[in-house]
Every structure is written in C-alpha cells, then in structure tokens.
Amino acid sequence: QSVLTQPPSASGTPGQRVTISCSGSSSNIGSNYGYWYQQVPGTAPKLLIYRNNERPSGVPDRFSGSKSGTSASLAISGLRSEDEADYYCAGWDDSLSGWVFGGGTKLTVL
Amino acid sequence: QLQLQESGPGLVKPSETLSLTCTVSGGSVSNTNYYWGWIRQPPGKGLEWIGSIYYNGNTYYNPSLKSRVTMSVDTSKNQFSLKLSSVTAADTAVYYCARHLGGIFSGPNYWGQGTLVTVSS
C-alpha cells in the first residue's frame, strides 16, 4: 500500500489530453512539493516535473504539473505513442521524514 | 554530464548482507549542494525510497528499512554505498542510486541505470 495514491492505469488516443492524479495527505503533498517521474519499462525513472509544476530542461511543455490541497496532478497534452510508460508521483513526507512514491500509473496510448 | 553507476553482487543469499556501491562521474559526492540516494523497485512493482546521504555522512532512512540499512560515502573514491542486512526474497529488486536536485527535500533527478539484485539460496 503506497502512501501516495495513483490510479493503476490511464489511457488516451494520440493528440488527446490525459491527466493522472496523485492523492496524498497533509504530511506530504499537502505541505511539500510534488514530483513526477516517467519510466519506460526496463529503464531508469526520468524526472518530468519538480516542485509541483517545474519542468527540467529537455522535458517538452506538453507535460505539466499542478497541485491542489493534498493532491497533485500530471497532465499530458498532445499525447504521443512515445508517452506510453509508467508514471510515478513522489514527495517528501514530514511524518515519515522520508520520500514516498505513488504506486504508479501505466499509461497506454491507444 | 553527471553519471552514476551501481555495482555489486547480483545474487545474495537469504539472511546475508546486500552491498552495493554507486560510482559518480562528471560530478563530486563532496558537493555540498546535493544529497545522494538509493531507491529500489521489485520486479513488476513500484518505486521505494531506501535512504539518502550527504557528503558529511548525514543520513535519512526509510523507517520501514531503517533497522537493516547502512549508507556511507567515500569522498576519496567519489562513491557512496548501501548495505542492507538480513535480506529475504522480498528484497529482490532493481536498485538505483541517484542524486537529488538539491537538499533532502528535493527529489532525485539524476539516476543510475539500476542493478538487479536477487535474493536466493
């Protein structure tokens, strides 16, 4: 059971906009920044979004992040086949004094 | 360009200690701006943070693993290490080393390629 809750799966067609949610609590997302990682199977995770809505250099602006209360969201617009991957949210948890991850969302591009 | 490379045995016997090293190139573990961490991923499952260490040896560990985890840093070799004692099959996972964006409250951004460690007799 992950501390952060994500839907196990999401899907969309090319060009569509999809959103992935991440539900936390007051001790993690509610009081700290949300992060998002993309993981293509067999490879290491890649940082997509940091500090709720910042993109590292090289990440397309099709990817965007937001936070509201104790939840974070990742939006992908103009969906492409190469976006098919697993997506994880993460954040610092004050109660645990450690990093927590969501269980991951498998995105399928139909 | 910063690169991290995990190394260590790919097979560990139950009850023994798992030992991994992360070698950093293109950067320095002595850099006071960053924490360095370990994250693992059991086959077919999600990511689990194990712990993180600062250049001066300051550590944060996952409470669920704290009693079994020891991390250290060797600035002379530009490496940091993980030891996980009393392993069981549940510790079978791909182990990643990573560098945080900054301090402990910022997430990992640079990751190693990962190394699979299997716990089996």
Side-chain angles (χ1 to χ4, degrees):
Chain A
Q1 193 85 356
S2 301
V3 173
L4 304 180
T5 301
Q6 298 179 235
S9 64
S11 63
T13 56
Q16 208 172 22
R17 181 177 188 272
V18 297
T19 302
I20 299 172
S21 62
C22 172
S23 177
S25 68
S26 58
S27 65
N28 43 66
I29 300 294
S31 53
N32 296 294
Y33 291 119
Y35 289 71
W36 288 93
Y37 295 88
Q38 177 193 58
Q39 186 180 34
V40 174
T43 69
K46 169 189 172 184
L47 180 65
L48 271 186
I49 298 289
Y50 65 100
R51 294 178 194 155
N52 299 333
N53 54 20
E54 302 285 341
R55 281 187 309 276
S57 128
V59 173
D61 59 7
R62 301 187 297 106
F63 295 90
S64 62
S66 63
K67 179 180 121 170
S68 178
T70 58
S71 293
S73 293
L74 172 71
I76 309 172
S77 60
L79 200 61
R80 297 184 177 186
S81 59
E82 59 259 38
D83 298 332
E84 192 161 282
D86 297 318
Y87 292 83
Y88 294 89
C89 61
W92 176 263
D93 191 292
D94 292 329
S95 297
L96 298 174
S97 288
W99 278 86
V100 292
F101 286 90
T105 298
K106 182 176 180 62
L107 175 64
T108 301
V109 181
L110 302 169
Chain B
Q1 176 74 357
L2 184 72
Q3 292 188 320
L4 297 91
Q5 178 67 58
E6 306 87 351
S7 59
L11 181 63
V12 181
K13 289 183 168 55
S15 80
E16 294 190 344
T17 295
L18 177 160
S19 295
L20 294 174
T21 296
C22 182
T23 300
V24 178
S25 57
S28 172
V29 295
S30 300
N31 191 316
T32 59
N33 292 315
Y34 305 108
Y35 265 76
W36 306 85
W38 290 95
I39 300 101
R40 70 180 182 178
Q41 184 172 35
K45 296 188 178 181
L47 301 167
E48 180 181 36
W49 174 76
I50 301 170
S52 299
I53 189 166
Y54 195 44
Y55 82 101
N56 63 359
N58 191 45
T59 53
Y60 288 85
Y61 296 148
N62 185 325
S64 68
L65 298 170
K66 189 173 184 175
S67 63
R68 300 194 291 130
V69 171
T70 303
M71 291 183 183
S72 59
V73 62
D74 187 334
T75 56
S76 67
K77 294 181 179 179
N78 215 27
Q79 296 174 333
F80 61 102
S81 299
L82 167 70
K83 291 187 187 300
L84 181 66
S85 64
S86 305
V87 297
T88 69
D91 295 309
T92 293
V94 174
Y95 285 75
Y96 296 99
C97 62
R99 193 198 76 179
H100 288 249
L101 265 167
I104 189 59
F105 303 117
S106 59
N109 61 334
Y110 284 99
W111 297 63
Q113 66 184 26
T115 187
L116 175 62
V117 178
T118 301
V119 178
S120 175
S121 55

